[in-house]
Amino acid sequence: MAASTSESDLNTQVPSSNEADQPQIQAIRMPSMEEIRAQEVWNNCAVRSVASGVMGGGLGFMMGMFLGALDNPMMQEQMSGRQQLIYNLKQMGTRSWSSAKTFAVMGVVFSAVECVVEKARAKHDTTNTVVAGCVTGGTMSAKAGPKAACVGCVGFAAFSVAIEKFFDRHT
Amino acid sequence: MGGFFCHFLALRNSLNPNKNKAFLRSEVSMAANIPAGIDKEQAFGMAETEMEYRVELFNRLAQTCFNKCVDKRYKEAELNMGENSCIDRCVSKYWQVNSMIGQMLSAGGRPPM
């Protein structure tokens, strides 16, 4: 508080000859409780994981539709053009739905684990990403046995670290 | 930067019962209620001392927890979750230590050895 009052005193001592040239420096404005609450919404682990799941679902849907459109068996002898189109669309739909579900689960698990680990450690590191990636990869390949779970853990952890480094290149 | 003060304000408002802006007036009214024989000048002096103490406490708290919790390689403008929880814990511990030491110093004249 003392720092802000001294800074506002400093602002009023700006020489008047420069006022026309430089933009007026604004005093520090403390955020209101609404702004604090709005920012605190995104600190909640549940909110973050649900949002991440929705985004993952959307991404999986797009990818499934794209790949389903590419991969269509040409059976021109048995069906007419319109029936073939309907069949292609149905196949695209099922593929994109299953892909969306997979990606949504992946997004929810990754985001929830990363949020919980980061809150517990109280640090922003790559260790959070590694642990979250390992748990996500492990749970997704857990059905194929423990060895596949280990491989999935390591692979997905490496992938998520690579993605994070890719998105943080400017720092 | 607003995020850092956001967090401090939220915690400070929950910890500090003195929320209204006229601190000195509240301090004077608080001080005037307790003892009967103190005049206005003394109460005002006490309120001023109390105000200085609180300002100093806030500044030191903000400085300490900022140096401890926020990495100096500023990668983004907003506080992330790790820094938020670090600030929560830092402020809580600082407040507890401060009140504990204040109680110890005010109870006995000298600290117990």
Side-chain angles (χ1 to χ4, degrees), chain B residues 59-72:
Chain B
N59 284 339
R60 265 187 290 118
L61 171 64
Q63 192 84 23
T64 307
C65 289
F66 186 78
N67 289 338
K68 181 159 183 51
C69 287
V70 176
D71 190 18
K72 291 298 181 282

Side-chain angles (χ1 to χ4, degrees), chain A residues 129-142 146-160:
Chain A
T129 316
V130 166
V131 171
C134 181
V135 171
T136 308
T139 54
M140 282 194 352
S141 5
K147 202 163 171 190
C150 286
V151 170
C153 159
V154 171
F156 202 83
F159 167 71
S160 46

Side-chain angles (χ1 to χ4, degrees), chain A residues 1-3 28 30-31 33 35-36 39-40 42-43 48 114-115 118-124 168 170-171, chain B residues 1-3 5-7 9-10 12-13 23 51 55 58-59 75 78 80-86 89:
Chain A
M1 280 149 29
I28 295 177
M30 289 292 185
M33 284 308 287
E35 287 180 20
I36 294 176
Q39 287 187 11
E40 291 285 318
W42 282 105
N43 270 348
R48 276 178 78 116
E114 188 181 30
C115 174
E118 181 163 352
K119 272 201 171 175
R121 287 181 72 228
K123 257 176 147 191
H124 189 75
D168 277 347
H170 56 275
T171 56
Chain B
M1 184 185 72
F5 279 112
C6 265
H7 222 71
L9 266 192
R12 221 178 128 258
N13 281 337
F23 277 133
M51 176 71 171
V55 164
F58 181 80
N59 284 339
K75 292 191 174 186
E78 298 296 326
N80 45 37
M81 270 183 321
E83 289 165 353
N84 270 331
S85 67
C86 177
R89 297 173 186 179

Side-chain angles (χ1 to χ4, degrees), chain A residues 27-99:
Chain A
I28 295 177
R29 191 182 55 88
M30 289 292 185
S32 59
M33 284 308 287
E34 289 88 18
E35 287 180 20
I36 294 176
R37 277 196 214 103
Q39 287 187 11
E40 291 285 318
V41 161
W42 282 105
N43 270 348
N44 197 2
C45 273
V47 168
R48 276 178 78 116
S49 52
V50 164
S52 192
V54 166
M55 286 198 309
L59 177 73
F61 185 75
M62 290 293 157
M63 219 181 73
M65 274 207 347
F66 180 63
L67 290 179
L70 287 180
D71 172 51
N72 45 354
M74 289 289 167
M75 296 194 292
Q76 279 175 341
E77 304 89 26
Q78 297 160 9
M79 292 193 275
S80 71
R82 188 187 152 86
Q83 274 180 331
Q84 198 173 358
L85 182 68
I86 292 176
Y87 176 78
N88 278 345
L89 282 179
K90 274 198 198 152
Q91 201 178 29
M92 267 170 60
T94 39
R95 249 191 103 134
S96 59
W97 178 239
S98 71
S99 170

Side-chain angles (χ1 to χ4, degrees), chain B residues 26-87:
Chain B
S26 68
E27 304 284 357
V28 167
S29 61
M30 265 168 42
N33 282 340
I34 302 166
I38 289 194
D39 56 339
K40 270 286 165 82
E41 280 299 318
Q42 268 185 319
F44 203 76
M46 272 168 52
E48 209 171 308
T49 312
E50 176 83 12
M51 176 71 171
E52 282 177 12
Y53 161 72
R54 284 188 189 275
V55 164
E56 180 64 30
L57 173 66
F58 181 80
N59 284 339
R60 265 187 290 118
L61 171 64
Q63 192 84 23
T64 307
C65 289
F66 186 78
N67 289 338
K68 181 159 183 51
C69 287
V70 176
D71 190 18
K72 291 298 181 282
R73 292 178 301 152
Y74 301 123
K75 292 191 174 186
E76 52 182 0
E78 298 296 326
L79 287 175
N80 45 37
M81 270 183 321
E83 289 165 353
N84 270 331
S85 67
C86 177
I87 290 173

